[in-house]
Amino acid sequence: MGGLFLALEQSGLGAAMRESSFLYPLANVLHIVGLVCFAGAIAIMDARLMGAFEALPLRSFVSRWRKVAMAAFAVQIVSGFMLFSAEASAIIDNPVFQLKLLLIAIGLGNVVVFELVTKPGIAGWQGGQPPMIAKISGAVSLLAWIAVAAAGRLIAYF
Amino acid sequence: MALKTRFALVAAAAALIGAAPVLAHHGWGSYDAAKPLTITGPIKHSTYQYPHVHVMIDHEGNTWEITLAPPSRMEARRAVLAVVKEGNVMAAYGYASTARPHEMRAERITVDGKTYEMR
């Protein structure tokens, strides 16, 4: 397993990230811009689940903003992989990076729970006070993704 | 939507935005800024790479790893590759790491009578 990350670090991509005059700053900028777009899309969906913008239909609201979130997530995966490749063998051992991976898994797991449990459970919700499972789903998502962002920023300090 | 929920969302958003500038500049937390030191010697090895340029210098029987600025900032300050190449004598003024022995973060470096600021 360790050899895999060393191989990534020693790959053409890893070397290019360390040696190119613009790739590392570019990936850094993409990663923060991607975060802003991702957090915005996530927060607005979570706010809807927790009772905001109740006049707007939930289903179309979520499907619209999920497209933005997924596009931004793709930017995060690509730019994050670029940054990771520069120092992969060291960063994989970083405790905050490991925590970040766990938090991402929780955030994505929450999407699966939303699709399988929450969505069918709140199908009859017509507005007004949101059902408890909708509030929980929104709160878990918001907290998980804020924690992912915080952990990401803290990798450099540990 | 309840006023309380709305307040909580605004507070969460404010925390998210507010946290960024506080954490935006990293690197000085685990360095002992109270005890600056100068490490001087010929550069044994240098890696001019992102995210930070590093040089190795022998000093009083130990090999010190000196962490410098990112390559883009090094070049902006004219501390180009030729300035920190192997064999050049460098004086690095900065702070020792509190986490790793014989690692230091340079505030400024002097090579061949010229001083380059790393911040």
Side-chain angles (χ1 to χ4, degrees):
Chain A
M1 197 67 174
L4 190 69
F5 298 111
L6 194 62
L8 172 62
E9 185 177 308
Q10 290 168 348
S11 70
L13 175 67
M17 286 304 298
R18 291 188 299 275
E19 286 157 23
S20 157
S21 60
F22 71 94
L23 277 180
Y24 199 94
L26 174 72
N28 245 335
V29 168
L30 282 176
H31 211 55
I32 191 73
V33 173
L35 168 64
V36 168
C37 298
F38 183 72
I42 289 289
I44 207 163
M45 282 190 283
D46 294 341
R48 177 66 185 84
L49 278 176
M50 289 189 282
F53 329 114
E54 51 197 291
L56 303 171
L58 178 69
R59 195 165 283 270
S60 61
F61 192 92
V62 168
S63 74
R64 176 173 305 174
W65 286 103
R66 184 174 283 171
K67 286 190 190 102
V68 178
M70 284 168 68
F73 191 76
V75 172
Q76 293 308 76
I77 293 293
V78 172
S79 58
F81 189 75
M82 288 166 76
L83 294 168
F84 178 69
S85 71
E87 301 180 290
S89 69
I91 292 178
I92 196 64
D93 290 331
N94 184 302
V96 185
F97 180 75
Q98 292 170 356
L99 176 65
K100 183 183 179 183
L101 291 183
L102 176 68
L103 290 164
I104 292 170
I106 291 171
L108 293 176
N110 185 57
V111 178
V112 175
V113 171
F114 176 80
E115 285 299 315
L116 298 181
V117 181
T118 316
K119 218 159 147 184
I122 61 174
W125 177 28
Q126 295 294 345
Q129 189 71 359
M132 186 51 77
I133 51 164
K135 283 194 203 168
I136 292 172
S137 181
V140 168
S141 165
L142 200 55
L143 289 174
W145 294 118
I146 287 174
V148 167
R153 182 59 276 191
L154 286 171
I155 291 167
Y157 300 81
F158 288 88
Chain B
M1 173 182 188
L3 200 61
K4 241 188 215 168
T5 318
R6 196 169 300 203
F7 176 77
L9 282 174
V10 171
L16 187 64
I17 294 161
V22 177
L23 301 173
H25 194 259
H26 78 265
W28 300 96
S30 56
Y31 293 87
D32 189 358
K35 281 186 241 138
L37 67 162
T38 302
I39 304 288
T40 308
I43 296 171
K44 268 176 76 181
H45 185 70
S46 114
T47 46
Y48 207 85
Q49 291 181 335
Y50 282 98
H52 288 277
V53 175
H54 286 95
V55 297
M56 309 296 277
I57 291 179
D58 278 338
H59 177 84
E60 293 176 359
N62 294 303
T63 300
W64 281 75
E65 179 183 355
I66 320 278
T67 302
L68 306 178
S72 50
R73 189 186 297 161
M74 296 285 287
E75 275 167 31
R77 306 277 158 84
R78 306 286 182 263
V80 295
L81 181 59
V83 172
V84 297
K85 73 170 191 287
E86 283 154 38
N88 285 3
V89 174
M90 171 190 286
Y93 171 91
Y95 315 113
S97 169
T98 53
R100 289 172 56 201
H102 308 119
E103 195 236 318
M104 97 159 348
R105 178 85 193 230
E107 180 89 57
R108 64 185 62 92
I109 58 170
T110 304
V111 178
D112 205 14
K114 271 175 116 166
T115 296
Y116 307 86
E117 295 292 332
M118 295 290 106
R119 277 212 281 188

